[in-house]
Amino acid sequence: MAELKLFTKDNCGKCEHVKERMPKNLKVQIVNADTVDGLAEAAYYEIVEKTFPVLVIDDSEIVCGALPILEKMNSFTGKK
């Protein structure tokens, strides 16, 4: 199974939308980019300037935007 990291921010409606709708049986590490540690990790992946939420898959693939992220997450569970 792929390693999934979902980068979110406080007071982000799209971030909340994804967190509320992501598949329950999918293991996803949620990283708050509004914290010092979260910001440092976002900088490592060079996603600080991107529009949140951002999904990082296996430290290499980056998906931005609520709908593309949910679509990608559902692809891991076989759900369409």
Side-chain angles (χ1 to χ4, degrees):
M1 178 54 89
E3 179 184 351
L4 305 174
K5 292 183 182 180
L6 178 64
F7 287 82
T8 64
K9 288 192 169 195
D10 295 332
N11 303 314
C12 170
K14 291 179 181 180
C15 299
E16 290 304 316
H17 179 85
V18 170
K19 289 192 288 188
E20 291 169 359
R21 289 165 178 77
M22 63 186 185
K24 302 292 183 217
N25 59 338
L26 194 61
K27 184 178 177 186
V28 179
Q29 178 186 356
I30 297 176
V31 180
N32 184 340
D34 281 334
T35 66
V36 173
D37 291 339
L39 182 59
E41 195 162 356
Y44 172 80
Y45 290 109
E46 299 178 348
I47 60 171
V48 174
E49 299 298 321
K50 300 223 181 262
T51 301
F52 283 75
V54 178
L55 180 67
V56 176
I57 305 162
D58 287 334
D59 292 335
S60 60
E61 184 179 352
I62 295 173
V63 180
C64 300
L67 295 179
I69 288 171
L70 287 172
E71 189 175 292
K72 189 68 168 184
M73 286 180 172
N74 286 327
S75 75
F76 287 109
T77 64
K79 185 179 174 183
K80 293 186 176 188

